[in-house]
Amino acid sequence: MHDEHGGTEVVSPEVKSIDGLASIHAAQLLTYLRFSKLRLGYLINFNTVRLKDGFRRLVR
C-alpha cells in the first residue's frame, strides 16, 4: 500500500478464531500499534459465518 506521499504504509493484522471479539483484543492490537509506531491495524476473526463480519479496523 502506498500513501499520498509515495511512501509505503504498513498494516498490522491480528488474527483470531474465537466466538467473538472482546475489548481486550482491541486493546492488545492498539498496544502492538503503539510499540511498533504503526497507525493502522485489523482484528480478523475467522470464526464467523461470513468472513466480512469478523473484520474490525483500528486506527491509533
Side-chain angles (χ1 to χ4, degrees), residues 2-30:
H2 296 283
D3 63 11
E4 65 274 6
H5 303 293
T8 301
E9 181 180 334
V10 179
V11 176
S12 176
E14 179 67 22
V15 179
K16 304 282 186 192
S17 183
I18 53 178
D19 288 334
L21 294 173
S23 59
I24 190 70
H25 301 120
Q28 182 181 33
L29 178 56
L30 289 171

Side-chain angles (χ1 to χ4, degrees), residues 3-55:
D3 63 11
E4 65 274 6
H5 303 293
T8 301
E9 181 180 334
V10 179
V11 176
S12 176
E14 179 67 22
V15 179
K16 304 282 186 192
S17 183
I18 53 178
D19 288 334
L21 294 173
S23 59
I24 190 70
H25 301 120
Q28 182 181 33
L29 178 56
L30 289 171
T31 299
Y32 292 160
L33 292 174
R34 187 172 63 246
F35 284 124
S36 62
K37 297 183 179 158
L38 298 175
R39 291 187 32 85
L40 179 62
Y42 286 93
L43 279 172
I44 305 168
N45 183 12
F46 286 102
N47 190 20
T48 59
V49 175
R50 294 184 315 179
L51 185 58
K52 72 178 190 174
D53 293 337
F55 277 81

